[in-house]
Amino acid sequence: QKEVEQNSGPLSVPEGAIASLNCTYSDRGSQSFFWYRQYSGKSPELIMSIYSNGDKEDGRFTAQLNKASQYVSLLIRDSQPSDSATYLCAVIDPGNQFYFGTGTSLTVIP
Amino acid sequence: SAVISQKPSRDICQRGTSLTIQCQVDSQVTMMFWYRQQPGQSLTLIATANQGSEATYESGFVIDKFPISRPNLTFSTLTVSNMSPEDSSIYLCSVRASTNEKLFFGSGTQLSVL
């Protein structure tokens, strides 16, 4: 069974700190990886995509991918209270199916 | 990214009734999907809405309970039939431009069944 696993949290960080969110996936053939942010009562919003090993930076967000370890992470620098949300990791498997993790709840404390 | 309009945004329904959710996209898209998100849970794929043919349902979901239509490349509906309180969830329409492209979501429908 294909799985995408995340620590459900909640993860609490003080404002201005770095938030680190982690995700592992089971299908070694997966090639595309995404992070979605979901505010309470809202639909998921795509914030990052990554396809190659290494880091990808976009503003305060950095996605990291390690295919050998089947590990994806999202770093949020200078965390703001507005970053408080649930973050969903998603993976496209070799069959082009999307799989979502259960999400990590992040709270940024002012 | 496509603009995806979904309605209604929320509804409160009685047990045994049915609700049809509409999803309109501002551009033609190859793939449309319907997801369910139960309280505190992640996303569960209900079905892939196929243009001009029957939807492809995931394990645990059946056409009689969740009939889906997709008459063209920009519009789809999901009906939740004979509702019970267990159907209380957020229902999300989503689209992908091609098999390797990102997945985008509509604004969702918050359904509560009494």
Side-chain angles (χ1 to χ4, degrees):
Chain A
Q1 182 174 350
K2 295 171 180 148
E3 293 181 348
V4 178
E5 296 191 353
Q6 297 180 252
N7 188 330
S8 62
L11 174 65
S12 294
V13 300
E15 183 173 355
I18 296 175
S20 178
L21 306 165
N22 304 315
C23 172
T24 59
Y25 59 95
S26 61
D27 194 324
R28 185 171 290 277
S30 300
Q31 296 295 324
S32 303
F33 308 87
F34 307 90
W35 284 98
Y36 287 80
R37 177 177 63 199
Q38 186 175 24
Y39 293 115
S40 180
K42 302 296 185 181
S43 62
E45 171 193 13
L46 179 65
I47 55 172
M48 289 288 286
S49 59
I50 187 167
Y51 306 98
S52 304
N53 279 329
D55 295 0
K56 178 181 178 182
E57 186 174 319
D58 184 0
R60 294 186 296 110
F61 298 98
T62 299
Q64 299 175 318
L65 174 62
N66 184 327
K67 291 185 180 179
S69 300
Q70 296 174 235
Y71 179 90
V72 193
S73 65
L74 179 70
L75 301 179
I76 306 174
R77 291 184 302 281
D78 188 23
S79 294
Q80 301 298 309
S82 59
D83 295 325
S84 298
T86 296
Y87 290 81
L88 299 167
C89 174
V91 172
I92 299 180
D93 76 352
N96 283 314
Q97 289 272 60
F98 256 86
Y99 288 90
F100 286 88
T102 53
T104 298
S105 174
L106 172 67
T107 299
V108 180
I109 303 168
Chain B
S1 63
V3 175
I4 308 166
S5 302
Q6 192 174 331
K7 60 180 182 181
S9 59
R10 61 178 62 241
D11 207 341
I12 301 172
C13 301
Q14 296 297 318
R15 180 194 299 262
T17 62
S18 297
L19 175 72
T20 295
I21 302 168
Q22 297 182 3
C23 179
Q24 178 74 55
V25 188
D26 69 343
S27 59
Q28 294 186 344
V29 290
T30 307
M31 306 173 79
M32 292 181 75
F33 307 92
W34 288 97
Y35 281 85
R36 181 173 75 182
Q37 187 175 33
Q38 295 181 302
Q41 303 295 313
S42 189
L43 303 167
T44 301
L45 180 62
I46 297 172
T48 302
N50 300 310
Q51 192 262 327
S53 65
E54 190 172 292
T56 304
Y57 290 85
E58 297 299 308
S59 176
F61 298 95
V62 296
I63 188 171
D64 290 346
K65 175 67 175 178
F66 298 100
I68 289 171
S69 77
R70 191 179 175 192
N72 55 53
L73 292 176
T74 64
F75 185 78
S76 179
T77 66
L78 167 73
T79 299
V80 185
S81 303
N82 188 25
M83 287 183 285
S84 67
E86 291 72 33
D87 295 319
S88 298
S89 285
I90 298 173
Y91 291 85
L92 294 156
C93 171
S94 64
V95 304
R96 283 170 74 180
S98 70
T99 55
N100 286 323
E101 281 299 314
K102 301 151 189 169
L103 191 67
F104 297 100
F105 289 90
S107 52
T109 297
Q110 173 75 62
L111 171 62
S112 297
V113 184
L114 304 179

